[in-house]
Amino acid sequence: MKLDEPVATDPLLTVKDLEVGFESFDGFAEVIDGVNLSIGKGEVVTIAGETGCGKSVTMKSILRLLNQPPARVNGEITFDGTELLSLSDSEFERVKGQRMSLVFQDPMSSLNPTFTIGEQLTDTAQFGGDSDTGVIEFFRRKFSSERDEARERVLEMLREVQMPDPENIMDSYPSQLSGGMRQRALIAQALLNEPDLLIADEIGTALDVTIHDQILDLLKDLIEEHDLSVLMITHNLGVARQVSDRVYVMYGGRIVETAPTEELFENPKHPYTQGLIASIPRLTGDEMAEGIDGSIPEYLDPPRGCRFAPRCPYATAECEQGRPEMYQGTNQSGVECILYDETVELSDRPTVEETRSHMTRRSGSLMGDD
Ligand SMILES: Nc1ncnc2c1ncn2[C@@H]1O[C@H](COP(=O)(O)OP(=O)(O)OP(=O)(O)O)[C@@H](O)[C@H]1O
């Protein structure tokens, strides 16, 4: 059976056959089940899916942030030709420190409340990629002229992320900044050491819509100016549409569909992707789907076949038998659903409107008016 997702041209990061499970008193939870993905040089890729689909576990596996045990991680993660999972901790920290950066969703928990923005960002600018600087060397450098140069770089970067009044912000503590300013500070921090790969987890999600849009616009400009490769994680397909070149839709620890962003929105194939798109609030029209009925699979005892089958309006007995193939389309797209086997008539494949009407009918019947 062919399960491979299409691969990026000139990949910077490749994840192959990733499997991640967690040991617990109740048993073994098989969360990530054979994920393949890749990010090309200069490409912006999003992993999108509902809460609990495994986006963060995938991201944490790439960054080796999961404690083993209870986690068990298998597969291959290759960054610019280097296999990451087999590196020693110090070798990995060096690659991560010098070439990857992270922006987390909650700026308050990522910034240290007891140091000023200037102190924290200058430390990153000066020591960002050096994970093994000794204490004596750390203090020698901290009080050398190198510190002034690093501070200058921070100021420049704060201006680049359009931070208002950057000189003043350098002397402020995180709690004195608004949510949007804190997010800008974190983006500045992430870019200080000119990474090749930026990983952004639900960036700006906690902010109100206007500020969120401003942050995404800023991010788009910075990605282009700094020629970054980006892996974004979001539960919001609208965000994926705004910033990414390509999208991976994740469900129940598997990639169920991938396509270039425009193609995914114009012609979503998997019933789950269609359900997510149908759930995006529409500004016109009087009917809006309420979201996909049901909940994500129980990872301690996941469905044997397609993990979406229990929630899928088109599921048949065959869907419960085994995992569907990843049917590859043209142009780096693929869908893991038996409806895309070539023996299925085009007219028997669902459209977003059909999926929307299933969802609306269900939510209507829940309200007792069907
Ligand atoms: N350390 C852990 N131990 C046990 N189970 C875990 C652990 N971390 C995550 N999981 C389980 O893995 C599943 C996927 O979680 P994950 O956080 O990756 O989802 P997500 O798609 O990123 O959701 P969210 O958008 O809420 O972050 C969840 O069912 C979660 O309970």
Side-chain angles (χ1 to χ4, degrees):
M1 185 184 288
K2 187 153 59 76
L3 288 174
D4 283 355
E5 279 79 357
V7 174
T9 35
D10 197 12
L12 178 68
L13 180 81
T14 309
V15 174
K16 200 163 180 300
D17 301 330
L18 181 68
E19 288 180 357
V20 186
F22 295 95
E23 289 159 18
S24 76
F25 288 119
D26 299 323
F28 187 69
E30 299 168 35
V31 178
I32 303 298
D33 185 31
V35 158
N36 293 294
L37 58 89
S38 56
I39 304 167
K41 289 186 178 144
E43 193 180 30
V44 182
V45 162
T46 302
I47 304 178
E50 289 164 295
T51 282
C53 280
K55 308 179 297 288
S56 303
V57 171
T58 304
M59 182 264 288
K60 286 179 185 164
S61 309
I62 296 169
L63 295 166
R64 298 197 359 181
L65 293 173
L66 295 171
N67 288 329
Q68 298 191 62
R72 258 192 257 155
V73 181
N74 284 303
E76 275 173 40
I77 302 178
T78 313
F79 178 77
D80 208 8
T82 305
E83 214 295 301
L84 296 184
L85 293 181
S86 53
L87 293 181
S88 69
D89 287 348
S90 62
E91 284 167 340
F92 176 74
E93 285 306 319
R94 197 165 309 123
V95 174
K96 188 172 107 182
Q98 292 175 349
R99 304 200 52 196
M100 301 180 191
S101 261
L102 293 179
V103 186
F104 282 112
Q105 56 181 306
D106 178 8
M108 210 46 199
S109 64
S110 312
L111 290 164
N112 188 329
T114 55
F115 291 99
T116 63
I117 296 290
E119 269 297 295
Q120 295 184 56
L121 268 60
T122 310
D123 276 351
T124 305
Q126 207 177 355
F127 305 104
D130 306 336
S131 52
D132 40 15
T133 309
V135 179
I136 295 174
E137 179 61 6
F138 175 81
F139 282 103
R140 188 195 67 73
R141 286 175 60 189
K142 196 158 170 149
F143 294 101
S144 71
S145 60
E146 194 190 305
R147 187 76 179 169
D148 299 330
E149 288 159 27
R151 210 180 140 80
E152 226 12 79
R153 265 201 298 135
V154 172
L155 261 173
E156 236 170 74
M157 190 52 81
L158 287 178
R159 287 188 201 106
E160 200 178 333
V161 299
Q162 294 155 25
M163 181 74 90
D165 198 3
E167 278 85 359
N168 226 337
I169 294 297
M170 292 286 277
D171 298 325
S172 306
Y173 289 88
S175 61
Q176 295 173 295
L177 272 56
S178 69
M181 286 154 95
R182 283 198 288 265
Q183 190 77 80
R184 281 173 204 273
L186 275 189
I187 294 174
Q189 186 174 38
L191 298 183
L192 275 168
N193 291 312
E194 294 289 333
D196 298 302
L197 177 69
L198 180 73
I199 299 184
D201 183 11
E202 299 282 3
I203 202 164
T205 311
L207 303 169
D208 79 51
V209 178
T210 326
I211 310 285
H212 185 208
D213 280 354
Q214 287 173 9
I215 296 285
L216 287 185
D217 285 343
L218 169 72
L219 194 65
K220 258 167 50 183
D221 292 344
L222 293 168
I223 287 168
E224 212 168 300
E225 276 157 35
H226 292 259
D227 197 20
L228 290 166
S229 302
V230 182
L231 174 62
M232 295 256 309
I233 286 169
T234 183
H235 67 273
N236 182 343
L237 263 186
V239 169
R241 186 173 207 174
Q242 252 172 299
V243 295
S244 53
D245 300 315
R246 209 151 50 82
V247 182
Y248 287 98
V249 179
M250 191 163 212
Y251 182 78
R254 294 175 178 167
I255 301 293
V256 295
E257 182 165 3
T258 179
T261 309
E262 217 171 297
E263 186 181 321
L264 187 92
F265 280 88
E266 265 170 28
N267 185 17
K269 295 189 173 74
H270 198 285
Y272 179 64
T273 315
Q274 295 184 340
L276 286 182
I277 288 179
S279 309
I280 296 175
R282 291 196 290 185
L283 294 176
T284 54
D286 53 7
E287 207 176 44
M288 193 184 93
E290 297 277 312
I292 307 168
D293 230 22
S295 49
I296 53 155
E298 177 55 65
Y299 291 112
L300 282 169
D301 184 20
R304 204 155 61 92
C306 168
R307 287 188 169 184
F308 186 60
R311 297 171 75 183
C312 181
Y314 313 106
T316 61
E318 191 187 341
C319 304
E320 286 157 27
Q321 300 306 313
R323 181 173 182 167
E325 201 173 311
M326 167 66 71
Y327 296 97
Q328 295 202 14
T330 50
N331 198 13
Q332 294 189 316
S333 64
V335 57
E336 199 176 281
C337 171
I338 58 163
L339 289 169
Y340 295 88
D341 186 288
E342 62 236 9
T343 58
V344 177
E345 296 283 332
L346 212 62
S347 57
D348 288 336
R349 292 177 181 163
T351 64
V352 178
E353 284 316 314
E354 274 159 3
T355 302
R356 189 197 306 279
S357 86
H358 275 287
M359 291 159 65
T360 316
R361 253 185 277 143
R362 283 202 214 166
S363 59
S365 66
L366 279 179
M367 289 186 285
D369 58 3
D370 197 27

Short mmCIF file of all heavy atoms in Angstrom, two decimals, residues 187-241:
data_model
loop_
_atom_site.label_atom_id
_atom_site.label_comp_id
_atom_site.label_asym_id
_atom_site.label_seq_id
_atom_site.Cartn_x
_atom_site.Cartn_y
_atom_site.Cartn_z
N ILE A 187 8.43 37.47 18.00
CA ILE A 187 8.81 37.28 16.59
C ILE A 187 10.21 37.85 16.37
O ILE A 187 11.06 37.24 15.72
CB ILE A 187 7.77 37.93 15.64
CG1 ILE A 187 6.43 37.19 15.77
CG2 ILE A 187 8.25 37.91 14.19
CD1 ILE A 187 5.28 37.82 15.00
N ALA A 188 10.46 39.04 16.96
CA ALA A 188 11.79 39.65 16.84
C ALA A 188 12.84 38.70 17.40
O ALA A 188 13.88 38.44 16.78
CB ALA A 188 11.83 40.99 17.58
N GLN A 189 12.54 38.14 18.58
CA GLN A 189 13.49 37.23 19.23
C GLN A 189 13.77 36.01 18.32
O GLN A 189 14.91 35.58 18.17
CB GLN A 189 12.90 36.76 20.56
CG GLN A 189 13.87 35.94 21.39
CD GLN A 189 13.32 35.62 22.76
OE1 GLN A 189 12.12 35.36 22.93
NE2 GLN A 189 14.18 35.65 23.76
N ALA A 190 12.70 35.50 17.70
CA ALA A 190 12.86 34.31 16.86
C ALA A 190 13.74 34.58 15.64
O ALA A 190 14.36 33.66 15.11
CB ALA A 190 11.49 33.80 16.42
N LEU A 191 13.76 35.84 15.17
CA LEU A 191 14.49 36.11 13.93
C LEU A 191 15.91 36.64 14.16
O LEU A 191 16.67 36.81 13.20
CB LEU A 191 13.70 37.13 13.08
CG LEU A 191 12.32 36.66 12.62
CD1 LEU A 191 11.67 37.71 11.75
CD2 LEU A 191 12.42 35.35 11.85
N LEU A 192 16.26 36.91 15.44
CA LEU A 192 17.53 37.56 15.73
C LEU A 192 18.75 36.84 15.17
O LEU A 192 19.70 37.46 14.73
CB LEU A 192 17.69 37.73 17.24
CG LEU A 192 17.03 38.98 17.82
CD1 LEU A 192 16.98 38.90 19.33
CD2 LEU A 192 17.78 40.23 17.36
N ASN A 193 18.71 35.50 15.21
CA ASN A 193 19.90 34.77 14.76
C ASN A 193 19.75 34.21 13.36
O ASN A 193 20.39 33.21 13.02
CB ASN A 193 20.25 33.68 15.79
CG ASN A 193 20.75 34.32 17.07
OD1 ASN A 193 21.61 35.21 17.03
ND2 ASN A 193 20.18 33.94 18.19
N GLU A 194 18.89 34.88 12.56
CA GLU A 194 18.73 34.50 11.15
C GLU A 194 18.54 32.99 10.97
O GLU A 194 19.37 32.32 10.33
CB GLU A 194 19.94 34.98 10.34
CG GLU A 194 20.06 36.49 10.25
CD GLU A 194 19.00 37.13 9.36
OE1 GLU A 194 18.51 36.45 8.44
OE2 GLU A 194 18.64 38.30 9.61
N PRO A 195 17.45 32.42 11.52
CA PRO A 195 17.24 30.98 11.36
C PRO A 195 16.86 30.64 9.91
O PRO A 195 16.47 31.53 9.15
CB PRO A 195 16.04 30.71 12.28
CG PRO A 195 15.28 31.99 12.27
CD PRO A 195 16.31 33.09 12.18
N ASP A 196 16.98 29.35 9.57
CA ASP A 196 16.50 28.90 8.25
C ASP A 196 15.06 28.44 8.36
O ASP A 196 14.29 28.56 7.43
CB ASP A 196 17.35 27.72 7.76
CG ASP A 196 18.79 28.14 7.58
OD1 ASP A 196 19.02 29.07 6.81
OD2 ASP A 196 19.66 27.56 8.24
N LEU A 197 14.75 27.84 9.53
CA LEU A 197 13.40 27.31 9.73
C LEU A 197 12.73 27.98 10.92
O LEU A 197 13.30 28.02 12.01
CB LEU A 197 13.47 25.79 9.98
CG LEU A 197 12.13 25.10 10.27
CD1 LEU A 197 11.24 25.08 9.04
CD2 LEU A 197 12.36 23.67 10.77
N LEU A 198 11.53 28.50 10.70
CA LEU A 198 10.75 29.09 11.79
C LEU A 198 9.56 28.18 12.04
O LEU A 198 8.85 27.82 11.10
CB LEU A 198 10.27 30.48 11.37
CG LEU A 198 9.44 31.24 12.41
CD1 LEU A 198 10.34 31.74 13.53
CD2 LEU A 198 8.73 32.43 11.77
N ILE A 199 9.37 27.80 13.30
CA ILE A 199 8.20 26.99 13.64
C ILE A 199 7.28 27.86 14.47
O ILE A 199 7.69 28.40 15.50
CB ILE A 199 8.61 25.70 14.39
CG1 ILE A 199 9.53 24.88 13.49
CG2 ILE A 199 7.38 24.91 14.80
CD1 ILE A 199 9.94 23.54 14.04
N ALA A 200 6.06 28.04 14.01
CA ALA A 200 5.13 28.95 14.70
C ALA A 200 3.90 28.17 15.12
O ALA A 200 3.20 27.58 14.30
CB ALA A 200 4.74 30.07 13.74
N ASP A 201 3.67 28.15 16.44
CA ASP A 201 2.56 27.37 17.00
C ASP A 201 1.39 28.30 17.33
O ASP A 201 1.49 29.08 18.27
CB ASP A 201 3.06 26.64 18.25
CG ASP A 201 2.00 25.75 18.87
OD1 ASP A 201 0.96 25.53 18.23
OD2 ASP A 201 2.21 25.30 20.01
N GLU A 202 0.31 28.22 16.59
CA GLU A 202 -0.91 29.01 16.83
C GLU A 202 -0.57 30.48 17.05
O GLU A 202 -1.05 31.11 17.99
CB GLU A 202 -1.67 28.48 18.06
CG GLU A 202 -2.16 27.06 17.95
CD GLU A 202 -3.41 26.89 17.11
OE1 GLU A 202 -3.89 27.89 16.53
OE2 GLU A 202 -3.89 25.75 17.01
N ILE A 203 0.23 31.02 16.17
CA ILE A 203 0.72 32.38 16.38
C ILE A 203 -0.45 33.38 16.40
O ILE A 203 -1.34 33.34 15.55
CB ILE A 203 1.77 32.74 15.32
CG1 ILE A 203 2.65 33.87 15.82
CG2 ILE A 203 1.20 33.06 13.99
CD1 ILE A 203 3.92 34.01 15.04
N GLY A 204 -0.46 34.23 17.42
CA GLY A 204 -1.46 35.30 17.50
C GLY A 204 -2.88 34.85 17.81
O GLY A 204 -3.79 35.68 17.86
N THR A 205 -3.08 33.55 18.06
CA THR A 205 -4.45 33.06 18.25
C THR A 205 -5.13 33.72 19.45
O THR A 205 -6.34 33.95 19.44
CB THR A 205 -4.45 31.53 18.46
OG1 THR A 205 -3.66 30.97 17.43
CG2 THR A 205 -5.84 30.95 18.38
N ALA A 206 -4.34 34.03 20.48
CA ALA A 206 -4.95 34.58 21.69
C ALA A 206 -5.31 36.06 21.53
O ALA A 206 -5.91 36.66 22.42
CB ALA A 206 -3.99 34.39 22.86
N LEU A 207 -4.95 36.65 20.38
CA LEU A 207 -5.16 38.10 20.22
C LEU A 207 -6.51 38.39 19.56
O LEU A 207 -7.09 37.52 18.92
CB LEU A 207 -4.05 38.68 19.34
CG LEU A 207 -2.63 38.44 19.84
CD1 LEU A 207 -1.62 38.81 18.78
CD2 LEU A 207 -2.38 39.23 21.11
N ASP A 208 -6.97 39.67 19.67
CA ASP A 208 -8.24 39.95 19.00
C ASP A 208 -8.01 40.01 17.49
O ASP A 208 -6.88 40.12 17.01
CB ASP A 208 -8.93 41.18 19.59
CG ASP A 208 -8.36 42.48 19.08
OD1 ASP A 208 -8.23 42.62 17.85
OD2 ASP A 208 -8.03 43.35 19.92
N VAL A 209 -9.12 39.93 16.73
CA VAL A 209 -9.03 39.68 15.29
C VAL A 209 -8.18 40.71 14.54
O VAL A 209 -7.35 40.34 13.70
CB VAL A 209 -10.46 39.63 14.69
CG1 VAL A 209 -10.40 39.42 13.19
CG2 VAL A 209 -11.24 38.51 15.35
N THR A 210 -8.34 42.00 14.87
CA THR A 210 -7.59 43.02 14.14
C THR A 210 -6.09 42.88 14.37
O THR A 210 -5.29 42.90 13.43
CB THR A 210 -8.00 44.45 14.62
OG1 THR A 210 -9.38 44.41 14.94
CG2 THR A 210 -7.67 45.50 13.63
N ILE A 211 -5.71 42.72 15.64
CA ILE A 211 -4.28 42.59 15.96
C ILE A 211 -3.74 41.29 15.34
O ILE A 211 -2.63 41.25 14.79
CB ILE A 211 -4.05 42.55 17.50
CG1 ILE A 211 -4.77 43.69 18.19
CG2 ILE A 211 -2.56 42.54 17.83
CD1 ILE A 211 -4.12 45.03 18.04
N HIS A 212 -4.54 40.24 15.42
CA HIS A 212 -4.15 38.95 14.84
C HIS A 212 -3.82 39.12 13.35
O HIS A 212 -2.79 38.64 12.87
CB HIS A 212 -5.33 37.97 15.03
CG HIS A 212 -5.03 36.58 14.58
ND1 HIS A 212 -6.00 35.73 14.14
CD2 HIS A 212 -3.88 35.91 14.48
CE1 HIS A 212 -5.45 34.58 13.79
NE2 HIS A 212 -4.16 34.67 14.00
N ASP A 213 -4.68 39.84 12.63
CA ASP A 213 -4.47 40.07 11.20
C ASP A 213 -3.19 40.87 10.97
O ASP A 213 -2.42 40.59 10.05
CB ASP A 213 -5.65 40.81 10.57
CG ASP A 213 -6.80 39.85 10.30
OD1 ASP A 213 -6.59 38.63 10.48
OD2 ASP A 213 -7.89 40.30 9.92
N GLN A 214 -2.97 41.89 11.81
CA GLN A 214 -1.75 42.70 11.67
C GLN A 214 -0.51 41.82 11.87
O GLN A 214 0.48 41.94 11.14
CB GLN A 214 -1.72 43.81 12.72
CG GLN A 214 -2.69 44.94 12.43
CD GLN A 214 -2.74 45.92 13.61
OE1 GLN A 214 -1.95 45.84 14.54
NE2 GLN A 214 -3.69 46.84 13.54
N ILE A 215 -0.57 40.93 12.86
CA ILE A 215 0.58 40.06 13.14
C ILE A 215 0.83 39.12 11.96
O ILE A 215 1.97 38.92 11.54
CB ILE A 215 0.35 39.24 14.45
CG1 ILE A 215 0.26 40.18 15.67
CG2 ILE A 215 1.41 38.17 14.65
CD1 ILE A 215 1.56 40.76 16.16
N LEU A 216 -0.25 38.58 11.39
CA LEU A 216 -0.07 37.67 10.25
C LEU A 216 0.49 38.42 9.04
O LEU A 216 1.35 37.89 8.32
CB LEU A 216 -1.39 36.99 9.88
CG LEU A 216 -1.88 35.91 10.84
CD1 LEU A 216 -3.13 35.24 10.28
CD2 LEU A 216 -0.82 34.85 11.10
N ASP A 217 0.03 39.66 8.82
CA ASP A 217 0.57 40.45 7.70
C ASP A 217 2.06 40.70 7.90
O ASP A 217 2.86 40.59 6.97
CB ASP A 217 -0.16 41.80 7.59
CG ASP A 217 -1.54 41.60 6.98
OD1 ASP A 217 -1.77 40.54 6.38
OD2 ASP A 217 -2.39 42.51 7.12
N LEU A 218 2.40 41.06 9.15
CA LEU A 218 3.81 41.31 9.47
C LEU A 218 4.63 40.04 9.22
O LEU A 218 5.69 40.09 8.59
CB LEU A 218 3.93 41.72 10.95
CG LEU A 218 5.33 41.76 11.52
CD1 LEU A 218 6.10 42.95 10.96
CD2 LEU A 218 5.31 41.85 13.05
N LEU A 219 4.10 38.93 9.69
CA LEU A 219 4.82 37.66 9.54
C LEU A 219 5.05 37.35 8.07
O LEU A 219 6.15 36.92 7.67
CB LEU A 219 4.00 36.54 10.19
CG LEU A 219 4.74 35.24 10.43
CD1 LEU A 219 5.87 35.41 11.43
CD2 LEU A 219 3.79 34.16 10.92
N LYS A 220 4.03 37.59 7.26
CA LYS A 220 4.17 37.32 5.82
C LYS A 220 5.31 38.14 5.21
O LYS A 220 6.12 37.63 4.44
CB LYS A 220 2.85 37.68 5.10
CG LYS A 220 2.04 36.45 4.80
CD LYS A 220 0.64 36.69 4.39
CE LYS A 220 0.39 37.69 3.29
NZ LYS A 220 -1.05 37.87 3.05
N ASP A 221 5.38 39.43 5.59
CA ASP A 221 6.46 40.28 5.07
C ASP A 221 7.83 39.78 5.52
O ASP A 221 8.78 39.72 4.75
CB ASP A 221 6.28 41.73 5.57
CG ASP A 221 5.05 42.37 4.94
OD1 ASP A 221 4.56 41.83 3.94
OD2 ASP A 221 4.58 43.41 5.49
N LEU A 222 7.90 39.41 6.83
CA LEU A 222 9.20 38.98 7.36
C LEU A 222 9.66 37.68 6.71
O LEU A 222 10.85 37.48 6.45
CB LEU A 222 9.10 38.79 8.88
CG LEU A 222 8.88 40.07 9.69
CD1 LEU A 222 8.52 39.73 11.13
CD2 LEU A 222 10.14 40.94 9.67
N ILE A 223 8.70 36.77 6.46
CA ILE A 223 9.04 35.49 5.84
C ILE A 223 9.70 35.74 4.49
O ILE A 223 10.71 35.13 4.14
CB ILE A 223 7.75 34.63 5.65
CG1 ILE A 223 7.26 34.10 7.00
CG2 ILE A 223 8.01 33.46 4.69
CD1 ILE A 223 5.87 33.49 6.97
N GLU A 224 9.14 36.70 3.77
CA GLU A 224 9.68 36.98 2.44
C GLU A 224 11.05 37.66 2.53
O GLU A 224 12.00 37.24 1.88
CB GLU A 224 8.69 37.86 1.69
CG GLU A 224 8.73 37.57 0.21
CD GLU A 224 7.58 38.20 -0.50
OE1 GLU A 224 6.42 37.86 -0.17
OE2 GLU A 224 7.84 39.05 -1.37
N GLU A 225 11.12 38.69 3.40
CA GLU A 225 12.38 39.43 3.51
C GLU A 225 13.53 38.54 3.98
O GLU A 225 14.66 38.70 3.55
CB GLU A 225 12.24 40.59 4.49
CG GLU A 225 11.65 41.83 3.84
CD GLU A 225 11.00 42.74 4.87
OE1 GLU A 225 11.50 42.81 6.01
OE2 GLU A 225 9.97 43.35 4.54
N HIS A 226 13.24 37.63 4.91
CA HIS A 226 14.31 36.80 5.47
C HIS A 226 14.43 35.45 4.78
O HIS A 226 15.20 34.60 5.22
CB HIS A 226 14.08 36.60 6.97
CG HIS A 226 14.26 37.86 7.76
ND1 HIS A 226 15.40 38.14 8.46
CD2 HIS A 226 13.44 38.92 7.92
CE1 HIS A 226 15.28 39.34 9.04
NE2 HIS A 226 14.10 39.83 8.72
N ASP A 227 13.63 35.23 3.72
CA ASP A 227 13.68 34.00 2.95
C ASP A 227 13.59 32.76 3.86
O ASP A 227 14.41 31.84 3.78
CB ASP A 227 14.99 33.98 2.13
CG ASP A 227 14.90 32.95 1.03
OD1 ASP A 227 13.77 32.57 0.67
OD2 ASP A 227 15.96 32.52 0.53
N LEU A 228 12.58 32.77 4.73
CA LEU A 228 12.46 31.70 5.72
C LEU A 228 11.67 30.51 5.19
O LEU A 228 10.77 30.68 4.35
CB LEU A 228 11.69 32.23 6.94
CG LEU A 228 12.37 33.24 7.82
CD1 LEU A 228 11.34 33.88 8.74
CD2 LEU A 228 13.44 32.54 8.64
N SER A 229 11.98 29.34 5.71
CA SER A 229 11.08 28.19 5.56
C SER A 229 10.27 28.18 6.85
O SER A 229 10.81 28.39 7.93
CB SER A 229 11.86 26.89 5.47
OG SER A 229 12.74 26.96 4.38
N VAL A 230 8.97 27.93 6.74
CA VAL A 230 8.13 28.04 7.94
C VAL A 230 7.21 26.84 8.08
O VAL A 230 6.60 26.40 7.11
CB VAL A 230 7.26 29.33 7.87
CG1 VAL A 230 6.41 29.48 9.13
CG2 VAL A 230 8.13 30.56 7.68
N LEU A 231 7.13 26.34 9.32
CA LEU A 231 6.12 25.34 9.65
C LEU A 231 5.16 26.00 10.63
O LEU A 231 5.54 26.37 11.74
CB LEU A 231 6.76 24.10 10.29
CG LEU A 231 5.77 23.05 10.81
CD1 LEU A 231 4.93 22.47 9.67
CD2 LEU A 231 6.50 21.93 11.52
N MET A 232 3.92 26.20 10.20
CA MET A 232 2.91 26.82 11.07
C MET A 232 1.97 25.73 11.55
O MET A 232 1.66 24.81 10.80
CB MET A 232 2.04 27.80 10.26
CG MET A 232 2.73 28.99 9.71
SD MET A 232 2.38 30.46 10.64
CE MET A 232 0.63 30.47 10.73
N ILE A 233 1.51 25.90 12.78
CA ILE A 233 0.53 24.96 13.31
C ILE A 233 -0.70 25.75 13.68
O ILE A 233 -0.59 26.78 14.36
CB ILE A 233 1.14 24.26 14.54
CG1 ILE A 233 2.17 23.27 14.04
CG2 ILE A 233 0.08 23.58 15.37
CD1 ILE A 233 2.99 22.71 15.12
N THR A 234 -1.86 25.33 13.22
CA THR A 234 -3.06 26.10 13.56
C THR A 234 -4.31 25.23 13.51
O THR A 234 -4.37 24.25 12.77
CB THR A 234 -3.23 27.31 12.62
OG1 THR A 234 -4.37 28.06 13.03
CG2 THR A 234 -3.42 26.90 11.16
N HIS A 235 -5.29 25.58 14.35
CA HIS A 235 -6.59 24.89 14.25
C HIS A 235 -7.50 25.69 13.32
O HIS A 235 -8.62 25.28 13.05
CB HIS A 235 -7.21 24.73 15.64
CG HIS A 235 -7.59 26.03 16.26
ND1 HIS A 235 -6.71 26.79 16.99
CD2 HIS A 235 -8.74 26.73 16.20
CE1 HIS A 235 -7.31 27.89 17.36
NE2 HIS A 235 -8.54 27.89 16.90
N ASN A 236 -6.99 26.84 12.84
CA ASN A 236 -7.81 27.77 12.09
C ASN A 236 -7.41 27.75 10.60
O ASN A 236 -6.37 28.27 10.24
CB ASN A 236 -7.57 29.16 12.72
CG ASN A 236 -8.40 30.23 12.06
OD1 ASN A 236 -8.92 30.05 10.96
ND2 ASN A 236 -8.51 31.36 12.74
N LEU A 237 -8.27 27.14 9.79
CA LEU A 237 -7.91 27.03 8.36
C LEU A 237 -7.78 28.40 7.70
O LEU A 237 -7.07 28.56 6.72
CB LEU A 237 -8.97 26.22 7.62
CG LEU A 237 -8.69 24.74 7.40
CD1 LEU A 237 -9.76 24.13 6.53
CD2 LEU A 237 -7.33 24.51 6.77
N GLY A 238 -8.49 29.41 8.26
CA GLY A 238 -8.40 30.77 7.73
C GLY A 238 -6.96 31.28 7.82
O GLY A 238 -6.46 31.93 6.90
N VAL A 239 -6.27 30.95 8.91
CA VAL A 239 -4.87 31.36 9.09
C VAL A 239 -4.01 30.66 8.05
O VAL A 239 -3.15 31.27 7.40
CB VAL A 239 -4.37 31.01 10.53
CG1 VAL A 239 -2.87 31.17 10.64
CG2 VAL A 239 -5.09 31.86 11.55
N ALA A 240 -4.28 29.38 7.84
CA ALA A 240 -3.52 28.62 6.83
C ALA A 240 -3.68 29.30 5.48
O ALA A 240 -2.72 29.45 4.72
CB ALA A 240 -4.03 27.18 6.77
N ARG A 241 -4.88 29.73 5.18
CA ARG A 241 -5.15 30.35 3.89
C ARG A 241 -4.40 31.67 3.74
O ARG A 241 -3.89 32.00 2.67
CB ARG A 241 -6.65 30.58 3.75
CG ARG A 241 -7.03 31.09 2.40
CD ARG A 241 -8.53 31.15 2.23
NE ARG A 241 -8.86 31.01 0.83
CZ ARG A 241 -10.09 30.91 0.37
NH1 ARG A 241 -11.10 30.89 1.21
NH2 ARG A 241 -10.30 30.79 -0.91
#
